Amino acid sequence: MRAGLTRALERHRRTFSSFSPGQKVVAVVGTGALLLAAVMVFRWASAPSYSPLYSNLSAEDASAVVEQLAADGVPYQIGGGGGTISVPRDEVYSTRIALSGEGIPSGAGDTGYALLDGQDISTSQFKEQTDFKRAMEGELASTVEAIDGVETAVVHLALPPKQVFVEEQDPATASVLVATRGGTSLGPDQVQAIVHLVASSVDGLDPARVTVADSTGQVLSDDADSAGGSGSRNRQVQDYQDQLEGKAQAMLDRVFGPGNSSVQVTAVLDFDRVVTETTTYGRAKSPVLSESVQEESYSGTAAPGTTGGVVGPDTQLETGGAGDDGSYSNSSTVRENGVDKVVEQSETAPGSVESLHAAVVVDTNSKVAVDASEIDAIISSAIGIDLERGDTIETSNLPFDTSVEDANAAALEAAAAEAATASRNAWLRNGALGGLVLMFVALAWLRSRRTTQAREDATSYVVEQLRQEQVARAAQLSRASDEAPTALALAPAVEPVDGMRDELVALVERQPDEVASLLRGWLVERP
């Protein structure tokens, strides 16, 4: 095996020595590239696959986790700005269990309602209230972080102490600071969701007293938004205007083509909330609903020596008013009639349209000519222009400035042409390099094939010469055997042709130059 390996190495060395300088460079570079690719593939295949062990860790917890992993000899990677630690995929759960047994990370259980687990009978009322507030803040922060797009959240609650009288009770307030993931932002619906989640979780907290801000210091909600304030009103107006402009622009594009017209709509909306109650009484005769009649009567004579009468304003008795017989009578009637009454209560919802104003501009270079009155009629019908309500619409034909569009189009064409040229040059360069490599490989293959064919021809020629010489020697020995029988016994044994062929092949591989010189000498001496 050692001799075979030595012969193979020697053969490759001689083959490499027979290459031209260009072929040697190509062979060395190709071999180096193959070795580098093999090393990279081996490293990629042998590298472990990492998975996150913990995410969103604080600096203290991340330091403790890294220190423990280094002590345990577990490989790790740090990412996410230092808050995410990854370990090999097959060691995630075992490592997490081992770290939990060591109480790492410590911040995993010091937020939320877990803070209340350490309270005992000796806990003061102040500490109990403070822990309860911290627990609610932690739970609310975890709830807000569950919203898509929110990376971290901090919630602060201001809960005034309870008062005996309601009018003396201070309102509760809350503030939420959120940090979004890179490249994302919270929409109005998500902000309102955060506001209502916090307000619904705290007793007596009005959504108007919840403030949401992001990490850049921008206030995402204000006290008025929850009650339909200026922020939400502006969004409603803008959305309504965009909707009307989209309808009008779609119709104009179908008539004049894209880019040949423009429309702007201004909407004035009424956000006042009006409640009206009207009571109307009918004049028709109403039926009697209830009636009560009361009568009183008294009869008799006055006592002798008494004077009857009515007591006057000066406490003087006026005589002669009631007579001397002492009789009295009184009657009263109370009648309740049904009243024809109509009570109407109406409430006007905020956001009604007070007026609309539209402006349409058509390019004078447009190929389509349409009268301005027709455009006014079409747009008015499309977006609901009411002239009696005070709406206005104006259409004008003006030339459009297309210099920016032309410059952009020219830049795009130039960039496309440059990209096409670069791609074509890259294909040509790669094709030329590939052709050179193929040419060098073909030349090396042809050179190797010619060398192999020459070696085989030389070996066959030598074997044929030896075989003929062997046949001649055998014939000579056969003739000599008749004359001297003992000479045959003393003659050396004839070596088999196959064994001689192997030795000749090995000789040619070891000393090709000497064998080639020998063959040339035989060819010259050949009759």
Side-chain angles (χ1 to χ4, degrees):
M1 180 178 180
R2 182 176 180 181
L5 182 61
T6 303
R7 288 195 301 271
L9 293 176
E10 184 66 21
R11 183 170 63 255
H12 289 302
R13 186 188 66 79
R14 288 194 305 270
T15 303
F16 182 78
S17 300
S18 62
F19 286 171
S20 63
Q23 293 175 341
K24 291 180 179 180
V25 171
V26 172
V28 171
V29 173
T31 304
L34 290 176
L35 291 177
L36 180 60
V39 171
M40 296 298 295
V41 171
F42 176 76
R43 291 187 59 183
W44 172 79
S46 60
S49 178
Y50 284 83
S51 294
L53 179 65
Y54 293 110
S55 300
N56 300 326
L57 291 175
S58 61
E60 294 78 6
D61 291 338
S63 176
V65 171
V66 169
E67 183 178 356
Q68 187 65 33
L69 292 177
D72 296 340
V74 179
Y76 61 88
Q77 291 181 350
I78 301 177
T84 301
I85 299 177
S86 302
V87 297
R89 186 184 301 274
D90 55 349
E91 299 183 13
V92 171
Y93 300 107
S94 59
T95 305
R96 190 174 297 170
I97 293 173
L99 293 177
S100 299
E102 299 292 337
I104 301 175
S106 59
D110 60 354
T111 59
Y113 290 119
L115 290 171
L116 305 178
D117 296 339
Q119 294 185 355
D120 52 19
I121 194 173
S122 62
T123 303
S124 63
Q125 183 179 5
F126 174 76
K127 187 177 185 306
E128 181 181 356
Q129 294 177 354
T130 303
D131 289 345
F132 178 72
K133 187 172 77 71
R134 291 177 58 197
M136 292 192 64
E137 291 174 349
E139 291 294 333
L140 289 174
S142 300
T143 303
V144 174
E145 289 175 357
I147 298 177
D148 187 18
V150 178
E151 185 174 0
T152 58
V154 179
V155 179
H156 294 289
L157 300 177
L159 305 177
K162 296 293 183 181
Q163 301 294 333
V164 177
F165 300 101
V166 177
E167 60 271 9
E168 298 179 358
Q169 179 65 46
D170 294 331
T173 59
S175 61
V176 182
L177 180 64
V178 296
T180 58
R181 295 184 177 90
T184 61
S185 60
L186 297 180
D189 295 338
Q190 292 177 309
V191 174
Q192 291 298 315
I194 295 174
V195 169
H196 289 286
L197 280 174
V198 175
S200 302
S201 302
V202 180
D203 185 19
L205 179 58
D206 188 1
R209 299 186 179 277
V210 179
T211 302
V212 181
D214 60 7
S215 57
T216 61
Q218 180 181 3
V219 178
L220 304 179
S221 67
D222 51 34
D223 295 340
D225 271 354
S226 299
S230 59
S232 61
R233 291 177 183 178
N234 294 334
R235 286 195 297 270
Q236 292 180 14
V237 172
Q238 188 62 43
D239 293 342
Y240 185 65
Q241 292 179 167
D242 293 342
Q243 181 183 4
L244 297 181
E245 290 175 2
K247 292 181 179 179
Q249 191 65 54
M251 297 187 64
L252 293 174
D253 290 343
R254 293 294 301 272
V255 176
F256 300 101
N260 294 322
S261 62
S262 177
V263 59
Q264 292 290 328
V265 178
T266 300
V268 179
L269 304 183
D270 183 10
F271 290 96
D272 294 336
R273 182 174 175 268
V274 179
V275 179
T276 304
E277 185 175 352
T278 305
T279 303
T280 305
Y281 295 94
R283 297 183 179 181
K285 185 178 181 180
S286 302
V288 178
L289 299 180
S290 63
E291 182 179 1
S292 63
V293 178
Q294 184 178 4
E295 295 182 356
E296 295 179 353
S297 63
Y298 175 76
S299 63
T301 59
T306 60
T307 301
V310 179
V311 179
D314 296 332
T315 67
Q316 298 296 326
L317 183 62
E318 297 180 0
T319 60
D324 295 335
D325 57 357
S327 62
Y328 168 79
S329 65
N330 184 25
S331 65
S332 63
T333 302
V334 178
R335 183 180 295 110
E336 183 179 356
N337 295 328
V339 179
D340 185 11
K341 182 177 69 172
V342 179
V343 179
E344 295 180 353
Q345 185 175 4
S346 62
E347 180 178 352
T348 303
S352 61
V353 179
E354 287 188 355
S355 61
L356 292 176
H357 308 278
V360 181
V361 180
V362 180
D363 189 6
T364 55
N365 298 324
S366 175
K367 299 180 180 179
V368 181
V370 181
D371 188 66
S373 60
E374 295 183 3
I375 299 176
D376 293 345
I378 293 173
I379 300 302
S380 298
S381 301
I383 64 177
I385 294 291
D386 187 1
L387 300 180
E388 296 180 357
R389 187 177 54 188
D391 299 351
T392 60
I393 181 171
E394 185 69 26
T395 301
S396 302
N397 292 324
L398 297 174
F400 282 13
D401 183 11
T402 59
S403 58
V404 177
E405 289 78 1
D406 296 340
N408 293 335
L412 291 176
E413 292 179 358
E418 184 178 356
T421 303
S423 177
R424 183 172 60 254
N425 293 336
W427 278 103
L428 293 176
R429 182 175 61 255
N430 295 335
L433 292 176
L436 289 175
V437 171
L438 291 177
M439 183 179 66
F440 287 145
V441 172
L443 291 176
W445 179 75
L446 291 176
R447 179 71 177 273
S448 176
R449 184 175 180 181
R450 286 196 299 268
T451 303
T452 303
Q453 186 65 32
R455 185 184 298 111
E456 292 179 355
D457 294 342
T459 305
S460 301
Y461 180 78
V462 171
V463 170
E464 181 64 22
Q465 293 295 328
L466 293 175
R467 190 183 64 80
Q468 293 178 3
E469 183 179 356
Q470 185 178 7
V471 171
R473 290 178 59 189
Q476 183 179 4
L477 291 175
S478 178
R479 290 193 301 268
S481 62
D482 297 336
E483 300 175 358
T486 58
L488 184 58
L490 297 175
V494 178
E495 185 178 2
V497 177
D498 293 337
M500 185 179 297
R501 178 185 178 87
D502 295 338
E503 292 183 0
L504 290 175
V505 170
L507 178 61
V508 171
E509 292 179 354
R510 289 194 303 270
Q511 299 176 351
D513 298 334
E514 291 78 357
V515 173
S517 300
L518 180 61
L519 290 176
R520 283 194 294 269
W522 287 354
L523 291 175
V524 172
E525 296 176 358
R526 187 174 182 179

